[in-house]
Amino acid sequence: MAALISLLKLSISTFASLFIVVTAWTVPSRSNSYRDLRYQWHLKSHVDRRYPGGEVIGSQGKIGSYLLHRLNTPIVPIPSKNNTNNLQYPQSLHAAAVPRGVSPGCLSPEDTPIYACIPSSSIVNVWDSTLPHRRKDLVFLCNCIPSRHLTFDSDTDVTVAILHFGVSHSNANNNDNNAKASPRTPTLNNSPQSPPTAIYGKHAMTLGNLLQKDGIAVHIARDKNEVQAAGARKLAWSSLMWLTCHSAGGVGGEPMRVKDVHQFQFNKLQRLVEEILPSLEILASESWSSKKSKSPNNGPTTTSIGSVQDILDYLRSYSLSISNGNVIPSRELALRELAERNGLLLSLKTGEEKDRNSSSYHLDLIHQVAGEELLAQCLATGSEKQRSLLDNSNNRFERIQCTSSDLEFLFRSNNSGPPHPASSNAKTAVIVGAGMVGSSIAYHLSMRGVNVTVMDQRTNLLPPSDGSSSKKHDIDPGTATSSSFAWLNANDKSPLSYKQFNHLGMEVWRRHGILKNIPEWCGSLVRTAREGDGTGYEGSSLKMNPHYLCVGPLNWDEACRLEPGIDWSSSSPGNANDTADKESEIHFYPEEGHVDPVEAVRALRLSARSNGVEFLEGVQISYLVRDENGKVNGLEYTKSHTCDNGDANVLPVLATADVVVISAGANSSNPLLGIDSQHLQLLEQPGVLAYARSKTNSDHGYDSTDEHQVLKRVFVDTIAQAHILRRDDKTIVVGGGQLITGGGEDNSLDTNQSSTPQKTFNEDITAGDTMIKTAVAAISPFELQSSQCELVRVSCANRPMPSDGFPVLGFVDQGLYVAVMHSGITLGPLAGELASYEVWDKITTANDQGCGNGFQILEDFRPSRSRF
């Protein structure tokens, strides 16, 4: 039997191998579908998914922020397996906050919860946006009636929770989207009097255990009917309590608190409950299984909503559990949701109750509080209004899979009509600029079957095609790319959408089919000015930002264990327990890292060349070419040509293309490229780096320094304005001056300067020596202290920094796309793949993007944005 099984396995393996070989032979090499299939199979087998606690949708709302804080705190070190003195932390948070524009389900492992803390009107959109095989993991936490809101056609049983607890933010004056302000801390509002939160579904126990740890009463429902009834009771509270509170004082009178309604307006409340009870019973008996589902619960249920007294007891219990009843429900919110609340109950009246002229206390109170016009709208729409909200096709997005990273993003190509035919997709593209971003776009366009030509004024873009060179640094990666510190991070970036965009950029580096093995995920130590007055230091704790992993402030022992390559006894900021150093503190960011930018660009270009991309060196752009309708359809360039007699001749060449992409870094606003400084304002942000190595490294290829004294982390000192890291080739990279992070709150950006021609910098060895001396004095790495350390070179370049600090991605004219950003290293793989689809799709012109078309995650970074 064992021999038979072995033979069977061998036969299957042989057949699979033959199938792959035959497929590779018979499918054209530029076939987009074949490449997608091949990379899909490869990545799904090898991607190491993170975030074992799942995902949170709506993490900036009150319930979502509470869950994200609850899931991601506290952060504790990973126990050492070999009893070493090293200190290690997880390289991801326990749960991921799903950024706007990303398909839920692609960040966390399968069978982990996807908590959807959203308005009930968004349920269908979230369902459609979620990866199909992950929809079974959705957990809806919202005020919903399952039978009315779970309208998607599926047999999948999602998890639903009808909540009976509240959350407030302790520092409500802060901006929700500002990552630099102290993040809002969610405060749980719960009471022993609260009715239990009812939960049903696959992840009911997981959510229930999480809530019970905070003292929240939980009821794990045995079947769907119990949750349906709980939703109906919750609707009664949200429909009646605002109405009685705001009608208690009469027209123009002061509203009443909910606890006072139960004490002084009991008869009014009882009369309302008696009137709506038949509607509640209808709701409670509705099934929330799909009409096509084969579930035995598909028919009418027999679950009772309870008696009038039962409903009154529930209303009182829930009211008094919210700040002891000292609250007044929002009139403005209730009026906006009038059709979904009171209108739904009115629409369920039967028989004579449907006669609008019949006596109705419920209608009289709505008329008194809301007015005649809103009442008429409510009666005219009722459940129809609710259905239209749930089926808002204009808000729907298509899920687009980025095969290089195995992530999916939400994309809208056209609000009206069917998708455009594939024949209208771009088939040719010219990219100006072969740096990190340009090379990334070229590679990803080639993976979509587009014929791509990349032009750059620099030479030595590729190693010899015969493979005679095996060096990693045998190419010119570009001016800004070669001078990049290449720190992979989302550190200190704001607003939250920009921080999450950079965080996703880091995620793509971890997953990318050809780049994932290049970064060094070593973590970063960042020294900043101490917040507050420097008192009350309590040692290591989680910095309260549940969207990004941060540990600190660190004490002296933690800092030493995390970075043994620094002489902490000589480094003045190192001893965090030293009371003499009350002006600074150090935090650790475990999931950050760095990359060799030359190696990364080399990998992208070589892969692009193998896909048929043509790289043209030493090119000077003359002007853009347009067709009779004004659309950009190519450019003219000049390139030096050596004649047979040896003379140099400069020849003009015309290159036509469906789309021209400008990704020329700091030179992208050159008028010759069709984008002047009025439409693309770039700041002058020079950056200088010094590169040092031990002489023994240069001579013999090994490091004589003690292994335990080698720099292991990125170290950024924002006070001394020095930052260092050690690359795999044992080169120490030293930066000086204020670190530029980009984003709207980066105070280091001089946004008052006008867009001027970029300066030319000299590689000043003296400046390099000064930066190294500053790093030695402020940070004290052992390797730089060595007498064997020597300065190898200094690089200088202007950073491609848009005037507001944010990336610029999108069409600026018909057929003309621009991609400029800082940091192009962190964002390059992500931006390149997103831009490649928009270029290939070609329907997302400047006018289309102004209507919200294209990738949703790029909406804040369009060239047409008002703040730019």
Side-chain angles (χ1 to χ4, degrees):
M1 178 61 71
L4 181 59
I5 293 175
S6 299
L7 179 61
L8 180 60
K9 289 182 178 178
L10 178 61
S11 300
I12 294 173
S13 175
T14 304
F15 174 77
S17 301
L18 287 173
F19 175 77
I20 293 173
V21 171
V22 170
T23 305
W25 255 13
T26 57
V27 178
S29 61
R30 295 188 69 88
S31 168
N32 183 53
S33 59
Y34 166 64
R35 283 208 183 95
D36 286 354
L37 179 62
R38 180 182 62 185
Y39 271 81
Q40 228 175 337
W41 171 82
H42 172 76
L43 287 165
K44 287 190 179 299
S45 301
H46 295 88
V47 168
D48 179 19
R49 295 187 186 273
R50 308 191 301 153
Y51 305 109
E55 303 174 21
V56 178
I57 307 169
S59 62
Q60 293 188 72
K62 293 181 179 181
I63 299 297
S65 64
Y66 159 72
L67 273 181
L68 197 66
H69 273 86
R70 192 67 184 82
L71 289 165
N72 286 340
T73 56
I75 299 297
V76 295
I78 300 174
S80 176
K81 295 181 179 180
N82 51 7
N83 295 323
T84 62
N85 194 42
N86 293 334
L87 188 60
Q88 296 183 1
Y89 285 90
Q91 285 217 340
S92 81
L93 292 165
H94 189 62
V98 179
R100 180 172 173 265
V102 177
S103 295
C106 60
L107 293 173
S108 60
E110 191 170 355
D111 294 322
T112 58
I114 304 173
Y115 300 102
C117 308
I118 55 174
S120 57
S121 57
S122 299
I123 286 179
V124 174
N125 282 345
V126 167
W127 169 270
D128 291 339
S129 301
T130 302
L131 302 187
H133 72 282
R134 295 298 312 279
R135 288 169 177 166
K136 65 183 184 298
D137 292 321
L138 282 168
V139 181
F140 291 111
L141 299 93
C142 53
N143 294 326
C144 73
I145 304 296
S147 63
R148 298 296 175 121
H149 294 98
L150 306 185
T151 58
F152 31 79
D153 183 18
S154 173
D155 293 339
T156 301
D157 284 342
V158 298
T159 303
V160 177
I162 306 300
L163 308 182
H164 288 101
F165 64 91
V167 175
S168 60
H169 285 145
S170 60
N171 45 345
N173 291 328
N174 286 336
N175 185 348
D176 270 344
N177 207 30
N178 188 345
K180 284 202 171 184
S182 300
R184 285 183 166 189
T185 303
T187 301
L188 182 65
N189 296 325
N190 189 41
S191 166
Q193 296 175 301
S194 300
T197 290
I199 314 173
Y200 173 83
K202 173 181 177 180
H203 295 294
M205 290 301 299
T206 301
L207 175 61
N209 291 335
L210 186 69
L211 299 180
Q212 285 177 330
K213 290 179 180 178
D214 282 341
I216 297 173
V218 170
H219 171 66
I220 305 299
R222 294 169 296 178
D223 54 44
K224 300 177 180 180
N225 305 333
E226 293 185 33
V227 175
Q228 178 74 15
R233 284 190 289 269
K234 186 75 175 287
L235 177 66
W237 191 94
S238 60
S239 299
L240 301 187
M241 294 311 300
W242 81 271
L243 197 57
T244 50
C245 286
H246 289 277
S247 64
V251 178
E254 289 294 323
M256 186 176 287
R257 296 174 299 180
V258 291
K259 73 174 184 180
D260 296 328
V261 166
H262 290 283
Q263 183 175 358
F264 302 111
Q265 301 287 323
F266 177 79
N267 292 335
K268 177 190 293 188
L269 193 59
Q270 182 177 5
R271 184 176 176 183
L272 284 170
V273 172
E274 291 171 348
E275 187 172 324
I276 70 166
L277 186 60
S279 297
L280 293 179
E281 290 175 338
I282 293 174
L283 276 182
S285 65
E286 289 181 348
S287 169
W288 56 284
S289 297
S290 165
K291 293 181 180 179
K292 295 183 180 181
S293 172
K294 298 178 181 179
S295 169
N297 290 330
N298 200 40
T301 69
T302 57
T303 301
S304 172
I305 193 69
S307 65
V308 170
Q309 187 60 48
D310 292 333
I311 300 300
L312 288 170
D313 290 343
Y314 164 81
L315 296 178
R316 177 179 176 81
S317 174
Y318 188 36
S319 294
L320 297 181
S321 72
I322 308 173
S323 300
N324 296 319
N326 294 303
V327 294
I328 301 173
S330 168
R331 177 177 179 272
E332 290 73 19
L333 178 61
L335 292 178
R336 289 199 301 269
E337 299 178 351
L338 188 61
E340 300 94 85
R341 297 189 192 186
N342 302 75
L344 175 58
L345 294 175
L346 291 171
S347 70
L348 294 173
K349 284 189 173 185
T350 58
E352 295 181 357
E353 292 180 333
K354 281 192 172 183
D355 185 357
R356 298 179 185 174
N357 297 322
S358 64
S359 175
S360 170
Y361 189 49
H362 189 188
L363 284 174
D364 291 343
L365 289 183
I366 295 176
H367 182 271
Q368 174 186 330
V369 179
E372 181 70 31
E373 183 177 353
L374 285 178
L375 175 60
Q377 293 177 8
C378 176
L379 293 173
T381 56
S383 59
E384 287 78 12
K385 173 62 178 288
Q386 185 188 47
R387 283 194 292 270
S388 67
L389 288 171
L390 297 177
D391 190 31
N392 189 354
S393 57
N394 289 334
N395 291 328
R396 302 289 177 85
F397 286 83
E398 179 185 0
R399 288 181 291 103
I400 300 299
Q401 184 184 37
C402 293
T403 55
S404 292
S405 58
D406 201 28
L407 294 172
E408 292 196 13
F409 295 86
L410 304 182
F411 183 89
R412 181 164 52 202
S413 59
N414 200 337
N415 284 334
S416 60
H420 62 289
S423 59
S424 67
N425 295 136
K427 295 178 175 58
T428 58
V430 169
I431 299 174
V432 180
M436 182 67 199
V437 177
S439 296
S440 177
I441 296 174
Y443 165 74
H444 290 102
L445 273 175
S446 71
M447 294 298 294
R448 296 194 177 277
V450 180
N451 291 305
V452 182
T453 301
V454 180
M455 301 180 181
D456 200 289
Q457 62 184 352
R458 304 171 75 89
T459 59
N460 197 29
L461 299 182
L462 288 165
S465 58
D466 59 7
S468 58
S469 174
S470 61
K471 297 180 180 179
K472 294 181 179 179
H473 292 189
D474 55 359
I475 64 165
D476 186 341
T479 305
T481 302
S482 62
S483 301
S484 173
F485 190 57
W487 176 26
L488 301 178
N489 78 98
N491 206 305
D492 205 32
K493 297 184 180 183
S494 64
L496 183 59
S497 60
Y498 179 58
K499 187 183 193 75
Q500 289 182 319
F501 191 51
N502 281 266
H503 203 185
L504 271 176
M506 297 163 60
E507 188 72 23
V508 171
W509 273 100
R510 293 178 181 272
R511 296 162 166 256
H512 199 279
I514 66 172
L515 298 175
K516 62 184 177 182
N517 294 323
I518 299 178
E520 179 70 25
W521 300 107
C522 56
S524 306
L525 290 164
V526 180
R527 180 196 177 210
T528 58
R530 187 179 291 275
E531 298 179 2
D533 59 3
T535 62
Y537 178 73
E538 297 179 355
S540 181
S541 62
L542 177 73
K543 195 174 184 181
M544 294 304 292
N545 190 337
H547 293 87
Y548 198 63
L549 186 56
C550 173
V551 178
L554 304 175
N555 60 39
W556 184 86
D557 177 67
E558 290 168 330
C560 289
R561 293 169 63 190
L562 282 168
E563 183 50 270
I566 287 179
D567 184 0
W568 294 99
S569 62
S570 301
S571 175
S572 58
N575 192 343
N577 279 338
D578 186 355
T579 55
D581 180 35
K582 294 184 178 180
E583 298 180 356
S584 69
E585 58 189 17
I586 297 176
H587 291 86
F588 179 54
Y589 298 85
E591 59 183 327
E592 296 179 351
H594 61 86
V595 67
D596 186 331
V598 181
E599 184 181 357
V601 170
R602 186 181 193 271
L604 287 170
R605 290 180 187 171
L606 287 176
S607 296
R609 181 174 68 178
S610 69
N611 290 341
V613 174
E614 182 182 11
F615 288 84
L616 299 182
E617 303 176 342
V619 168
Q620 297 294 327
I621 307 300
S622 301
Y623 57 86
L624 295 177
V625 178
R626 298 176 183 268
D627 62 15
E628 63 275 8
N629 297 318
K631 174 188 175 296
V632 174
N633 65 349
L635 52 80
E636 184 178 287
Y637 66 94
T638 59
K639 182 178 169 64
S640 179
H641 173 71
T642 303
C643 300
D644 294 338
N645 61 5
D647 294 338
N649 188 17
V650 178
L651 298 176
V653 182
L654 178 65
T656 60
D658 293 328
V659 179
V660 174
V661 180
I662 305 300
S663 184
N667 296 317
S668 295
S669 59
N670 190 321
L672 294 177
L673 302 181
I675 314 171
D676 56 28
S677 59
Q678 182 178 358
H679 296 91
L680 179 60
Q681 298 180 14
L682 298 179
L683 300 178
E684 192 172 297
Q685 294 290 335
V688 183
L689 293 178
Y691 303 82
R693 286 169 64 96
S694 168
K695 293 180 180 179
T696 52
N697 288 344
S698 302
D699 297 340
H700 307 290
Y702 66 89
D703 190 352
S704 61
T705 307
D706 187 330
E707 177 185 354
H708 299 293
Q709 294 183 345
V710 171
L711 193 68
K712 291 181 172 57
R713 317 284 183 185
V714 178
F715 196 104
V716 177
D717 190 328
T718 64
I719 298 176
Q721 296 190 0
H723 39 281
I724 62 173
L725 59 81
R726 187 181 195 267
R727 288 185 177 156
D728 287 343
D729 63 356
K730 303 176 183 179
T731 299
I732 306 296
V733 185
V734 182
Q738 195 160 12
L739 197 66
I740 306 295
T741 62
E745 298 297 320
D746 193 342
N747 296 323
S748 59
L749 292 180
D750 181 9
T751 57
N752 294 321
Q753 62 177 269
S754 61
S755 182
T756 57
Q758 306 299 328
K759 294 181 180 179
T760 300
F761 295 93
N762 295 320
E763 296 185 354
D764 190 349
I765 299 299
T766 303
D769 286 330
T770 301
M771 287 192 298
I772 290 177
K773 290 178 181 178
T774 300
V776 170
I779 304 174
S780 302
F782 287 110
E783 288 180 279
L784 289 185
Q785 291 178 346
S786 170
S787 61
Q788 298 296 313
C789 178
E790 64 177 354
L791 177 65
V792 177
R793 65 184 179 93
V794 176
S795 67
C796 310
N798 261 309
R799 303 174 179 93
M801 179 65 71
S803 61
D804 61 357
F806 295 102
V808 179
L809 284 156
F811 282 92
V812 292
D813 203 345
Q814 291 189 28
L816 186 61
Y817 193 96
V818 63
V820 180
M821 67 206 67
H822 178 80
S823 159
I825 301 298
T826 297
L827 296 175
L830 170 62
E833 188 152 24
L834 296 177
S836 72
Y837 188 87
E838 294 196 329
V839 169
W840 172 80
D841 184 77
K842 204 175 64 169
I843 197 171
T844 51
T845 63
N847 291 334
D848 290 326
Q849 289 173 348
C851 299
N853 292 337
F855 282 110
Q856 187 182 31
I857 197 170
L858 298 182
E859 287 180 356
D860 290 341
F861 311 124
R862 296 304 186 190
S864 58
R865 59 184 181 258
S866 59
R867 64 169 179 254
F868 183 62

